[in-house]
Amino acid sequence: AATGERQARRADQDARWMWAQVRDRLEAAFRAHPEVKARVADLERQVRAGRLPASLAADRLLAAFGVED
């Protein structure tokens, strides 16, 4: 039983590690994308100043990356 529990924990850790790798690489690709890089500073500044909702800024950045709702 203990071995089975360890294997299950290890499998969960492996799955979490897989998704962490996906998130890290997606974020790196996102931040490196030329259209995102061109817009991110201004959008973040607007969000911090309270002039633009974070959700709208995120939508604009994702659209720049090619992800549409």
Side-chain angles (χ1 to χ4, degrees):
T3 300
E5 290 172 9
R6 276 195 299 275
Q7 288 174 337
R9 273 196 311 274
R10 178 62 184 189
D12 287 343
Q13 288 172 340
D14 287 345
R16 284 194 305 274
W17 176 246
M18 176 190 73
W19 285 112
Q21 293 293 308
V22 168
R23 279 190 304 274
D24 290 349
R25 290 176 69 183
L26 278 172
E27 184 176 357
F30 180 81
R31 288 181 178 274
H33 191 281
E35 295 297 322
V36 172
K37 286 173 75 169
R39 292 172 172 76
V40 71
D42 180 56
L43 289 171
E44 186 171 342
R45 195 170 20 258
Q46 289 184 56
V47 169
R48 289 180 180 275
R51 292 191 305 268
L52 185 67
S55 59
L56 184 54
D59 287 345
R60 290 179 182 175
L61 288 172
L62 288 165
F65 189 62
V67 176
E68 302 283 339
D69 278 343

Short mmCIF file of all heavy atoms in Angstrom, two decimals:
data_model
loop_
_atom_site.label_atom_id
_atom_site.label_comp_id
_atom_site.label_asym_id
_atom_site.label_seq_id
_atom_site.Cartn_x
_atom_site.Cartn_y
_atom_site.Cartn_z
N ALA A 1 0.84 -1.20 0.00
CA ALA A 1 0.00 0.00 0.00
C ALA A 1 0.87 1.26 0.00
O ALA A 1 0.59 2.20 -0.70
CB ALA A 1 -0.93 0.01 1.20
N ALA A 2 1.93 1.25 0.79
CA ALA A 2 2.80 2.42 0.85
C ALA A 2 3.46 2.68 -0.50
O ALA A 2 3.60 3.83 -0.91
CB ALA A 2 3.85 2.25 1.94
N THR A 3 3.85 1.59 -1.18
CA THR A 3 4.48 1.74 -2.49
C THR A 3 3.49 2.34 -3.49
O THR A 3 3.84 3.22 -4.27
CB THR A 3 5.01 0.39 -3.00
OG1 THR A 3 5.97 -0.10 -2.07
CG2 THR A 3 5.63 0.51 -4.37
N GLY A 4 2.26 1.87 -3.44
CA GLY A 4 1.22 2.40 -4.32
C GLY A 4 0.96 3.87 -4.07
O GLY A 4 0.76 4.66 -5.00
N GLU A 5 0.98 4.26 -2.80
CA GLU A 5 0.77 5.67 -2.46
C GLU A 5 1.92 6.53 -2.96
O GLU A 5 1.71 7.63 -3.48
CB GLU A 5 0.61 5.84 -0.94
CG GLU A 5 -0.68 5.27 -0.40
CD GLU A 5 -0.74 5.28 1.12
OE1 GLU A 5 0.15 5.88 1.76
OE2 GLU A 5 -1.67 4.66 1.66
N ARG A 6 3.14 6.00 -2.81
CA ARG A 6 4.31 6.73 -3.31
C ARG A 6 4.24 6.89 -4.83
O ARG A 6 4.54 7.95 -5.37
CB ARG A 6 5.61 6.04 -2.91
CG ARG A 6 6.09 6.40 -1.53
CD ARG A 6 7.54 6.00 -1.32
NE ARG A 6 7.76 4.57 -1.46
CZ ARG A 6 7.60 3.67 -0.48
NH1 ARG A 6 7.22 4.05 0.71
NH2 ARG A 6 7.82 2.39 -0.70
N GLN A 7 3.84 5.82 -5.50
CA GLN A 7 3.73 5.89 -6.96
C GLN A 7 2.65 6.89 -7.38
O GLN A 7 2.85 7.64 -8.34
CB GLN A 7 3.42 4.50 -7.53
CG GLN A 7 4.61 3.56 -7.47
CD GLN A 7 4.25 2.14 -7.90
OE1 GLN A 7 3.09 1.74 -7.86
NE2 GLN A 7 5.27 1.39 -8.30
N ALA A 8 1.56 6.91 -6.66
CA ALA A 8 0.49 7.87 -6.97
C ALA A 8 0.96 9.30 -6.74
O ALA A 8 0.68 10.19 -7.55
CB ALA A 8 -0.75 7.58 -6.13
N ARG A 9 1.68 9.52 -5.63
CA ARG A 9 2.22 10.86 -5.36
C ARG A 9 3.21 11.26 -6.45
O ARG A 9 3.20 12.40 -6.93
CB ARG A 9 2.91 10.91 -3.99
CG ARG A 9 1.97 11.22 -2.85
CD ARG A 9 2.71 11.65 -1.59
NE ARG A 9 3.82 10.77 -1.22
CZ ARG A 9 3.70 9.68 -0.47
NH1 ARG A 9 2.53 9.32 0.01
NH2 ARG A 9 4.77 8.96 -0.18
N ARG A 10 4.05 10.33 -6.84
CA ARG A 10 5.04 10.61 -7.89
C ARG A 10 4.34 10.94 -9.21
O ARG A 10 4.74 11.85 -9.92
CB ARG A 10 5.98 9.40 -8.05
CG ARG A 10 7.01 9.57 -9.12
CD ARG A 10 7.91 10.72 -8.80
NE ARG A 10 8.84 10.91 -9.90
CZ ARG A 10 9.85 11.71 -9.89
NH1 ARG A 10 10.13 12.40 -8.81
NH2 ARG A 10 10.63 11.83 -10.92
N ALA A 11 3.30 10.20 -9.53
CA ALA A 11 2.55 10.46 -10.76
C ALA A 11 1.93 11.85 -10.72
O ALA A 11 1.96 12.59 -11.71
CB ALA A 11 1.47 9.39 -10.96
N ASP A 12 1.38 12.25 -9.57
CA ASP A 12 0.81 13.59 -9.41
C ASP A 12 1.90 14.65 -9.56
O ASP A 12 1.70 15.67 -10.21
CB ASP A 12 0.13 13.74 -8.05
CG ASP A 12 -1.18 12.98 -7.96
OD1 ASP A 12 -1.74 12.60 -9.02
OD2 ASP A 12 -1.66 12.78 -6.83
N GLN A 13 3.06 14.41 -8.95
CA GLN A 13 4.18 15.35 -9.07
C GLN A 13 4.62 15.48 -10.52
O GLN A 13 4.89 16.59 -11.00
CB GLN A 13 5.37 14.89 -8.22
CG GLN A 13 5.17 15.04 -6.74
CD GLN A 13 6.30 14.39 -5.95
OE1 GLN A 13 7.03 13.54 -6.46
NE2 GLN A 13 6.43 14.78 -4.69
N ASP A 14 4.69 14.37 -11.22
CA ASP A 14 5.09 14.39 -12.63
C ASP A 14 4.10 15.21 -13.47
O ASP A 14 4.50 15.99 -14.33
CB ASP A 14 5.21 12.98 -13.19
CG ASP A 14 6.44 12.24 -12.68
OD1 ASP A 14 7.35 12.90 -12.12
OD2 ASP A 14 6.49 11.01 -12.85
N ALA A 15 2.81 15.01 -13.21
CA ALA A 15 1.79 15.76 -13.95
C ALA A 15 1.89 17.25 -13.64
O ALA A 15 1.81 18.09 -14.55
CB ALA A 15 0.40 15.23 -13.62
N ARG A 16 2.08 17.60 -12.37
CA ARG A 16 2.24 19.01 -12.01
C ARG A 16 3.48 19.60 -12.66
O ARG A 16 3.46 20.74 -13.15
CB ARG A 16 2.29 19.18 -10.48
CG ARG A 16 0.92 19.05 -9.83
CD ARG A 16 0.92 19.55 -8.39
NE ARG A 16 1.93 18.92 -7.56
CZ ARG A 16 1.78 17.77 -6.90
NH1 ARG A 16 0.65 17.10 -7.01
NH2 ARG A 16 2.75 17.30 -6.16
N TRP A 17 4.56 18.84 -12.69
CA TRP A 17 5.80 19.30 -13.32
C TRP A 17 5.59 19.52 -14.81
O TRP A 17 6.06 20.50 -15.38
CB TRP A 17 6.91 18.28 -13.07
CG TRP A 17 8.20 18.60 -13.75
CD1 TRP A 17 8.79 17.90 -14.74
CD2 TRP A 17 9.06 19.72 -13.50
NE1 TRP A 17 9.96 18.50 -15.13
CE2 TRP A 17 10.15 19.62 -14.38
CE3 TRP A 17 9.01 20.79 -12.62
CZ2 TRP A 17 11.18 20.55 -14.41
CZ3 TRP A 17 10.04 21.72 -12.65
CH2 TRP A 17 11.09 21.59 -13.54
N MET A 18 4.86 18.61 -15.46
CA MET A 18 4.56 18.76 -16.89
C MET A 18 3.84 20.09 -17.14
O MET A 18 4.25 20.87 -18.00
CB MET A 18 3.69 17.61 -17.37
CG MET A 18 3.25 17.74 -18.82
SD MET A 18 1.99 16.53 -19.30
CE MET A 18 0.54 17.19 -18.45
N TRP A 19 2.79 20.36 -16.36
CA TRP A 19 2.03 21.59 -16.55
C TRP A 19 2.84 22.83 -16.18
O TRP A 19 2.69 23.89 -16.80
CB TRP A 19 0.70 21.54 -15.78
CG TRP A 19 -0.26 20.65 -16.50
CD1 TRP A 19 -0.75 19.44 -16.07
CD2 TRP A 19 -0.84 20.87 -17.78
NE1 TRP A 19 -1.58 18.91 -17.02
CE2 TRP A 19 -1.65 19.76 -18.08
CE3 TRP A 19 -0.73 21.89 -18.72
CZ2 TRP A 19 -2.36 19.67 -19.28
CZ3 TRP A 19 -1.44 21.79 -19.90
CH2 TRP A 19 -2.25 20.68 -20.17
N ALA A 20 3.70 22.72 -15.21
CA ALA A 20 4.58 23.86 -14.87
C ALA A 20 5.50 24.17 -16.04
O ALA A 20 5.73 25.35 -16.37
CB ALA A 20 5.39 23.55 -13.61
N GLN A 21 6.01 23.14 -16.69
CA GLN A 21 6.87 23.34 -17.85
C GLN A 21 6.10 23.99 -18.99
O GLN A 21 6.61 24.88 -19.67
CB GLN A 21 7.46 22.00 -18.32
CG GLN A 21 8.43 21.39 -17.34
CD GLN A 21 9.69 22.24 -17.22
OE1 GLN A 21 10.32 22.56 -18.21
NE2 GLN A 21 10.04 22.61 -16.01
N VAL A 22 4.88 23.53 -19.22
CA VAL A 22 4.04 24.12 -20.27
C VAL A 22 3.79 25.59 -19.97
O VAL A 22 3.96 26.46 -20.84
CB VAL A 22 2.70 23.35 -20.40
CG1 VAL A 22 1.71 24.12 -21.28
CG2 VAL A 22 2.95 21.95 -20.95
N ARG A 23 3.40 25.90 -18.72
CA ARG A 23 3.14 27.30 -18.34
C ARG A 23 4.38 28.17 -18.53
O ARG A 23 4.30 29.27 -19.09
CB ARG A 23 2.66 27.39 -16.89
CG ARG A 23 1.20 27.08 -16.70
CD ARG A 23 0.75 27.42 -15.28
NE ARG A 23 1.53 26.74 -14.25
CZ ARG A 23 1.28 25.52 -13.80
NH1 ARG A 23 0.26 24.82 -14.28
NH2 ARG A 23 2.03 24.98 -12.86
N ASP A 24 5.52 27.68 -18.08
CA ASP A 24 6.76 28.46 -18.19
C ASP A 24 7.11 28.75 -19.64
O ASP A 24 7.48 29.87 -19.99
CB ASP A 24 7.92 27.73 -17.51
CG ASP A 24 7.80 27.71 -16.00
OD1 ASP A 24 6.95 28.42 -15.43
OD2 ASP A 24 8.58 26.95 -15.38
N ARG A 25 7.00 27.73 -20.49
CA ARG A 25 7.36 27.92 -21.89
C ARG A 25 6.35 28.78 -22.63
O ARG A 25 6.72 29.60 -23.48
CB ARG A 25 7.56 26.57 -22.57
CG ARG A 25 8.82 25.90 -22.02
CD ARG A 25 9.05 24.53 -22.56
NE ARG A 25 9.40 24.57 -23.98
CZ ARG A 25 9.60 23.49 -24.70
NH1 ARG A 25 9.51 22.30 -24.15
NH2 ARG A 25 9.90 23.59 -25.97
N LEU A 26 5.07 28.62 -22.30
CA LEU A 26 4.06 29.47 -22.91
C LEU A 26 4.26 30.93 -22.51
O LEU A 26 4.18 31.84 -23.35
CB LEU A 26 2.65 29.03 -22.51
CG LEU A 26 2.07 27.88 -23.30
CD1 LEU A 26 0.76 27.42 -22.67
CD2 LEU A 26 1.85 28.27 -24.76
N GLU A 27 4.53 31.16 -21.24
CA GLU A 27 4.75 32.54 -20.79
C GLU A 27 5.98 33.14 -21.46
O GLU A 27 5.97 34.30 -21.88
CB GLU A 27 4.88 32.64 -19.28
CG GLU A 27 5.01 34.07 -18.82
CD GLU A 27 5.04 34.27 -17.33
OE1 GLU A 27 4.90 33.28 -16.58
OE2 GLU A 27 5.23 35.42 -16.91
N ALA A 28 7.04 32.35 -21.59
CA ALA A 28 8.25 32.85 -22.25
C ALA A 28 7.97 33.20 -23.71
O ALA A 28 8.38 34.26 -24.20
CB ALA A 28 9.38 31.82 -22.14
N ALA A 29 7.24 32.33 -24.40
CA ALA A 29 6.90 32.59 -25.80
C ALA A 29 5.99 33.81 -25.91
O ALA A 29 6.15 34.65 -26.80
CB ALA A 29 6.22 31.37 -26.42
N PHE A 30 5.05 33.92 -24.98
CA PHE A 30 4.13 35.05 -24.95
C PHE A 30 4.88 36.36 -24.77
O PHE A 30 4.72 37.31 -25.53
CB PHE A 30 3.13 34.83 -23.81
CG PHE A 30 2.11 35.92 -23.67
CD1 PHE A 30 1.01 35.96 -24.49
CD2 PHE A 30 2.25 36.89 -22.70
CE1 PHE A 30 0.06 36.96 -24.35
CE2 PHE A 30 1.32 37.90 -22.55
CZ PHE A 30 0.21 37.93 -23.38
N ARG A 31 5.75 36.41 -23.76
CA ARG A 31 6.49 37.64 -23.47
C ARG A 31 7.48 38.00 -24.58
O ARG A 31 7.78 39.17 -24.78
CB ARG A 31 7.22 37.51 -22.14
CG ARG A 31 6.28 37.54 -20.95
CD ARG A 31 7.06 37.43 -19.64
NE ARG A 31 6.20 37.52 -18.49
CZ ARG A 31 5.81 38.66 -17.91
NH1 ARG A 31 6.22 39.81 -18.39
NH2 ARG A 31 5.02 38.64 -16.87
N ALA A 32 7.96 37.00 -25.32
CA ALA A 32 8.93 37.25 -26.40
C ALA A 32 8.27 37.64 -27.71
O ALA A 32 8.94 38.12 -28.62
CB ALA A 32 9.79 36.00 -26.60
N HIS A 33 6.97 37.43 -27.81
CA HIS A 33 6.26 37.72 -29.06
C HIS A 33 6.34 39.22 -29.38
O HIS A 33 6.07 40.06 -28.51
CB HIS A 33 4.80 37.28 -28.91
CG HIS A 33 4.05 37.29 -30.19
ND1 HIS A 33 3.55 38.45 -30.75
CD2 HIS A 33 3.71 36.28 -31.02
CE1 HIS A 33 2.93 38.15 -31.88
NE2 HIS A 33 3.01 36.84 -32.06
N PRO A 34 6.72 39.57 -30.60
CA PRO A 34 6.92 40.98 -30.95
C PRO A 34 5.70 41.87 -30.69
O PRO A 34 5.84 43.00 -30.21
CB PRO A 34 7.27 40.95 -32.44
CG PRO A 34 7.69 39.56 -32.72
CD PRO A 34 7.04 38.67 -31.71
N GLU A 35 4.51 41.39 -31.00
CA GLU A 35 3.31 42.21 -30.81
C GLU A 35 3.00 42.40 -29.32
O GLU A 35 2.54 43.47 -28.92
CB GLU A 35 2.11 41.58 -31.52
CG GLU A 35 2.24 41.55 -33.03
CD GLU A 35 2.31 42.95 -33.63
OE1 GLU A 35 1.61 43.86 -33.15
OE2 GLU A 35 3.07 43.13 -34.60
N VAL A 36 3.26 41.39 -28.54
CA VAL A 36 3.06 41.51 -27.09
C VAL A 36 4.08 42.49 -26.52
O VAL A 36 3.74 43.40 -25.76
CB VAL A 36 3.16 40.13 -26.40
CG1 VAL A 36 3.15 40.27 -24.88
CG2 VAL A 36 2.02 39.22 -26.87
N LYS A 37 5.35 42.31 -26.91
CA LYS A 37 6.41 43.20 -26.42
C LYS A 37 6.12 44.65 -26.76
O LYS A 37 6.41 45.55 -25.96
CB LYS A 37 7.76 42.78 -27.01
CG LYS A 37 8.31 41.52 -26.40
CD LYS A 37 9.56 41.05 -27.11
CE LYS A 37 10.75 41.91 -26.77
NZ LYS A 37 12.01 41.32 -27.25
N ALA A 38 5.51 44.89 -27.91
CA ALA A 38 5.22 46.26 -28.33
C ALA A 38 4.12 46.91 -27.50
O ALA A 38 4.05 48.13 -27.41
CB ALA A 38 4.83 46.27 -29.81
N ARG A 39 3.25 46.09 -26.89
CA ARG A 39 2.09 46.62 -26.19
C ARG A 39 2.15 46.52 -24.66
O ARG A 39 1.46 47.25 -23.96
CB ARG A 39 0.83 45.90 -26.67
CG ARG A 39 0.46 46.20 -28.10
CD ARG A 39 -0.68 45.29 -28.55
NE ARG A 39 -1.22 45.64 -29.85
CZ ARG A 39 -0.64 45.38 -31.00
NH1 ARG A 39 0.52 44.76 -31.04
NH2 ARG A 39 -1.20 45.72 -32.14
N VAL A 40 2.95 45.61 -24.15
CA VAL A 40 2.84 45.26 -22.74
C VAL A 40 3.13 46.42 -21.79
O VAL A 40 2.41 46.60 -20.80
CB VAL A 40 3.70 44.01 -22.40
CG1 VAL A 40 5.18 44.32 -22.43
CG2 VAL A 40 3.30 43.43 -21.08
N ALA A 41 4.14 47.21 -22.06
CA ALA A 41 4.49 48.29 -21.13
C ALA A 41 3.36 49.30 -21.00
O ALA A 41 2.99 49.70 -19.89
CB ALA A 41 5.79 48.97 -21.56
N ASP A 42 2.80 49.70 -22.14
CA ASP A 42 1.71 50.69 -22.11
C ASP A 42 0.47 50.12 -21.43
O ASP A 42 -0.15 50.80 -20.61
CB ASP A 42 1.37 51.13 -23.53
CG ASP A 42 0.25 52.15 -23.54
OD1 ASP A 42 0.39 53.19 -22.87
OD2 ASP A 42 -0.78 51.90 -24.20
N LEU A 43 0.12 48.90 -21.76
CA LEU A 43 -1.07 48.31 -21.15
C LEU A 43 -0.88 48.14 -19.65
O LEU A 43 -1.80 48.44 -18.87
CB LEU A 43 -1.40 46.97 -21.81
CG LEU A 43 -1.94 47.08 -23.24
CD1 LEU A 43 -2.03 45.71 -23.88
CD2 LEU A 43 -3.29 47.78 -23.25
N GLU A 44 0.28 47.69 -19.22
CA GLU A 44 0.52 47.53 -17.79
C GLU A 44 0.47 48.89 -17.08
O GLU A 44 -0.09 49.01 -15.99
CB GLU A 44 1.85 46.84 -17.52
CG GLU A 44 2.04 46.54 -16.04
CD GLU A 44 3.23 45.67 -15.75
OE1 GLU A 44 3.75 44.99 -16.67
OE2 GLU A 44 3.65 45.65 -14.58
N ARG A 45 1.02 49.90 -17.72
CA ARG A 45 0.98 51.25 -17.15
C ARG A 45 -0.47 51.72 -16.98
O ARG A 45 -0.83 52.29 -15.95
CB ARG A 45 1.76 52.20 -18.07
CG ARG A 45 2.11 53.53 -17.48
CD ARG A 45 3.08 54.36 -18.31
NE ARG A 45 3.21 54.02 -19.73
CZ ARG A 45 4.22 53.31 -20.27
NH1 ARG A 45 5.20 52.86 -19.52
NH2 ARG A 45 4.26 53.07 -21.56
N GLN A 46 -1.30 51.47 -17.98
CA GLN A 46 -2.71 51.86 -17.90
C GLN A 46 -3.45 51.10 -16.79
O GLN A 46 -4.28 51.69 -16.09
CB GLN A 46 -3.41 51.60 -19.24
CG GLN A 46 -2.97 52.56 -20.33
CD GLN A 46 -3.76 52.33 -21.60
OE1 GLN A 46 -4.99 52.39 -21.56
NE2 GLN A 46 -3.06 52.06 -22.70
N VAL A 47 -3.14 49.83 -16.65
CA VAL A 47 -3.77 49.04 -15.59
C VAL A 47 -3.35 49.58 -14.22
O VAL A 47 -4.18 49.80 -13.33
CB VAL A 47 -3.41 47.53 -15.72
CG1 VAL A 47 -3.82 46.76 -14.47
CG2 VAL A 47 -4.07 46.94 -16.96
N ARG A 48 -2.06 49.81 -14.04
CA ARG A 48 -1.56 50.32 -12.76
C ARG A 48 -2.13 51.69 -12.42
O ARG A 48 -2.34 52.01 -11.25
CB ARG A 48 -0.03 50.37 -12.76
CG ARG A 48 0.60 48.99 -12.72
CD ARG A 48 2.13 49.10 -12.73
NE ARG A 48 2.72 47.78 -12.69
CZ ARG A 48 2.96 47.09 -11.58
NH1 ARG A 48 2.64 47.58 -10.41
NH2 ARG A 48 3.52 45.89 -11.65
N ALA A 49 -2.41 52.49 -13.44
CA ALA A 49 -2.97 53.82 -13.23
C ALA A 49 -4.48 53.79 -13.04
O ALA A 49 -5.09 54.82 -12.77
CB ALA A 49 -2.60 54.73 -14.40
N GLY A 50 -5.09 52.62 -13.20
CA GLY A 50 -6.53 52.51 -13.04
C GLY A 50 -7.32 52.99 -14.24
O GLY A 50 -8.53 53.17 -14.16
N ARG A 51 -6.66 53.16 -15.37
CA ARG A 51 -7.33 53.63 -16.59
C ARG A 51 -7.87 52.49 -17.45
O ARG A 51 -8.67 52.75 -18.36
CB ARG A 51 -6.38 54.50 -17.41
CG ARG A 51 -6.04 55.83 -16.76
CD ARG A 51 -5.33 56.77 -17.71
NE ARG A 51 -4.14 56.18 -18.31
CZ ARG A 51 -2.90 56.30 -17.80
NH1 ARG A 51 -2.70 56.98 -16.70
NH2 ARG A 51 -1.88 55.74 -18.42
N LEU A 52 -7.43 51.29 -17.18
CA LEU A 52 -7.83 50.15 -18.00
C LEU A 52 -8.02 48.93 -17.10
O LEU A 52 -7.13 48.63 -16.28
CB LEU A 52 -6.73 49.85 -19.04
CG LEU A 52 -6.99 48.77 -20.07
CD1 LEU A 52 -8.12 49.19 -21.02
CD2 LEU A 52 -5.72 48.50 -20.87
N PRO A 53 -9.16 48.26 -17.21
CA PRO A 53 -9.35 47.04 -16.41
C PRO A 53 -8.34 45.96 -16.79
O PRO A 53 -7.99 45.82 -17.98
CB PRO A 53 -10.77 46.59 -16.76
CG PRO A 53 -11.43 47.76 -17.41
CD PRO A 53 -10.33 48.58 -18.02
N ALA A 54 -7.86 45.24 -15.82
CA ALA A 54 -6.89 44.18 -16.06
C ALA A 54 -7.41 43.16 -17.06
O ALA A 54 -6.65 42.67 -17.91
CB ALA A 54 -6.52 43.49 -14.75
N SER A 55 -8.70 42.85 -16.99
CA SER A 55 -9.27 41.85 -17.90
C SER A 55 -9.19 42.33 -19.35
O SER A 55 -8.90 41.53 -20.25
CB SER A 55 -10.71 41.54 -17.51
OG SER A 55 -11.49 42.72 -17.55
N LEU A 56 -9.43 43.61 -19.59
CA LEU A 56 -9.36 44.14 -20.95
C LEU A 56 -7.91 44.18 -21.44
O LEU A 56 -7.62 43.85 -22.59
CB LEU A 56 -9.98 45.53 -21.01
CG LEU A 56 -10.06 46.19 -22.39
CD1 LEU A 56 -10.75 45.27 -23.40
CD2 LEU A 56 -10.78 47.51 -22.28
N ALA A 57 -6.99 44.55 -20.55
CA ALA A 57 -5.57 44.54 -20.92
C ALA A 57 -5.13 43.12 -21.28
O ALA A 57 -4.42 42.91 -22.27
CB ALA A 57 -4.72 45.09 -19.78
N ALA A 58 -5.56 42.15 -20.49
CA ALA A 58 -5.21 40.76 -20.78
C ALA A 58 -5.79 40.33 -22.13
O ALA A 58 -5.10 39.69 -22.93
CB ALA A 58 -5.74 39.85 -19.67
N ASP A 59 -7.03 40.71 -22.40
CA ASP A 59 -7.64 40.38 -23.69
C ASP A 59 -6.83 40.97 -24.84
O ASP A 59 -6.61 40.32 -25.86
CB ASP A 59 -9.07 40.90 -23.76
CG ASP A 59 -10.05 40.11 -22.91
OD1 ASP A 59 -9.70 38.98 -22.49
OD2 ASP A 59 -11.16 40.62 -22.69
N ARG A 60 -6.38 42.20 -24.67
CA ARG A 60 -5.61 42.86 -25.74
C ARG A 60 -4.25 42.19 -25.95
O ARG A 60 -3.81 42.03 -27.10
CB ARG A 60 -5.43 44.34 -25.42
CG ARG A 60 -6.74 45.11 -25.55
CD ARG A 60 -6.57 46.56 -25.22
NE ARG A 60 -7.85 47.24 -25.32
CZ ARG A 60 -8.04 48.51 -25.00
NH1 ARG A 60 -7.03 49.25 -24.58
NH2 ARG A 60 -9.23 49.05 -25.11
N LEU A 61 -3.61 41.81 -24.86
CA LEU A 61 -2.33 41.11 -24.99
C LEU A 61 -2.51 39.74 -25.63
O LEU A 61 -1.71 39.34 -26.49
CB LEU A 61 -1.64 40.98 -23.63
CG LEU A 61 -1.06 42.28 -23.07
CD1 LEU A 61 -0.59 42.07 -21.63
CD2 LEU A 61 0.07 42.78 -23.95
N LEU A 62 -3.54 39.02 -25.21
CA LEU A 62 -3.79 37.71 -25.79
C LEU A 62 -4.13 37.83 -27.27
O LEU A 62 -3.69 37.00 -28.09
CB LEU A 62 -4.90 36.99 -25.03
CG LEU A 62 -4.47 36.51 -23.64
CD1 LEU A 62 -5.67 36.13 -22.80
CD2 LEU A 62 -3.49 35.35 -23.75
N ALA A 63 -4.88 38.86 -27.64
CA ALA A 63 -5.19 39.08 -29.07
C ALA A 63 -3.91 39.36 -29.85
O ALA A 63 -3.74 38.89 -30.97
CB ALA A 63 -6.20 40.22 -29.22
N ALA A 64 -3.01 40.16 -29.25
CA ALA A 64 -1.73 40.44 -29.90
C ALA A 64 -0.93 39.17 -30.12
O ALA A 64 -0.17 39.06 -31.08
CB ALA A 64 -0.93 41.45 -29.07
N PHE A 65 -1.11 38.21 -29.24
CA PHE A 65 -0.42 36.92 -29.32
C PHE A 65 -1.11 35.98 -30.31
O PHE A 65 -0.55 34.98 -30.72
CB PHE A 65 -0.35 36.30 -27.93
CG PHE A 65 0.51 35.07 -27.81
CD1 PHE A 65 1.86 35.12 -28.07
CD2 PHE A 65 -0.04 33.87 -27.41
CE1 PHE A 65 2.66 33.99 -27.95
CE2 PHE A 65 0.75 32.73 -27.27
CZ PHE A 65 2.10 32.80 -27.53
N GLY A 66 -2.35 36.31 -30.66
CA GLY A 66 -3.10 35.47 -31.60
C GLY A 66 -4.17 34.62 -30.97
O GLY A 66 -4.73 33.75 -31.62
N VAL A 67 -4.48 34.88 -29.70
CA VAL A 67 -5.51 34.13 -29.00
C VAL A 67 -6.75 35.01 -28.90
O VAL A 67 -6.72 36.06 -28.28
CB VAL A 67 -5.05 33.71 -27.58
CG1 VAL A 67 -6.18 33.02 -26.83
CG2 VAL A 67 -3.82 32.83 -27.66
N GLU A 68 -7.81 34.58 -29.54
CA GLU A 68 -9.07 35.32 -29.52
C GLU A 68 -10.11 34.50 -28.75
O GLU A 68 -10.06 33.30 -28.75
CB GLU A 68 -9.58 35.55 -30.95
CG GLU A 68 -8.60 36.30 -31.83
CD GLU A 68 -8.55 37.79 -31.56
OE1 GLU A 68 -9.50 38.33 -30.99
OE2 GLU A 68 -7.54 38.40 -31.95
N ASP A 69 -11.05 35.22 -28.13
CA ASP A 69 -12.16 34.52 -27.45
C ASP A 69 -13.08 33.89 -28.45
O ASP A 69 -13.25 34.27 -29.52
CB ASP A 69 -12.95 35.50 -26.57
CG ASP A 69 -12.27 35.72 -25.23
OD1 ASP A 69 -11.42 34.91 -24.84
OD2 ASP A 69 -12.63 36.71 -24.57
#
